[in-house]
Amino acid sequence: PLAHRIERWVPDAAQAELRRVEAFSELHGGRSSGIAQLPLSSAGSSLVKALQRGVPVINDFPADEPGSPAAAAVGIGATALVAIPVVWEDAVVEVGALYL
């Protein structure tokens, strides 16, 4: 597989946080149903940067991410994280996370 884990994150209605709505890892147990939130005020978050800037963000040290992305990266031994914004009608509507 291209990535060890793939996640979808969407902003909540109040635009205060990102919520993980889906996670999948072919190598580590398939679909994960665990819910996670990430405040948009999280400094250093690649996912938040991708949402706010509208451009992909690469982090070569995913264990340094705040919150559950760091836990996911450490849990699967990821050495990089790529956050990819999904744009719809000139707005970022979600962020895809690839753990490499």
Side-chain angles (χ1 to χ4, degrees):
L2 173 67
H4 294 286
R5 180 178 174 92
I6 299 171
E7 297 177 342
R8 288 180 54 223
W9 292 77
V10 297
D12 67 344
Q15 297 288 317
E17 65 184 13
L18 282 169
R19 284 191 261 163
R20 185 177 62 210
V21 296
E22 201 165 348
F24 181 81
S25 175
E26 185 175 314
L27 301 173
H28 301 94
R31 177 170 275 162
S32 171
S33 60
I35 297 170
Q37 293 88 17
L38 187 62
L40 293 184
S41 60
S42 296
S45 169
S46 299
L47 301 172
V48 172
K49 288 177 187 174
L51 177 76
Q52 293 172 340
R53 297 177 185 170
V55 297
V57 177
I58 299 171
N59 181 349
D60 289 327
F61 302 99
D64 293 342
E65 289 284 326
S68 62
V74 169
I76 62 169
T79 58
L81 177 124
V82 180
I84 304 168
V86 177
V87 179
W88 181 260
E89 296 183 359
D90 297 326
V92 177
V93 295
E94 73 179 63
V95 177
L98 303 176
Y99 294 82
L100 310 175

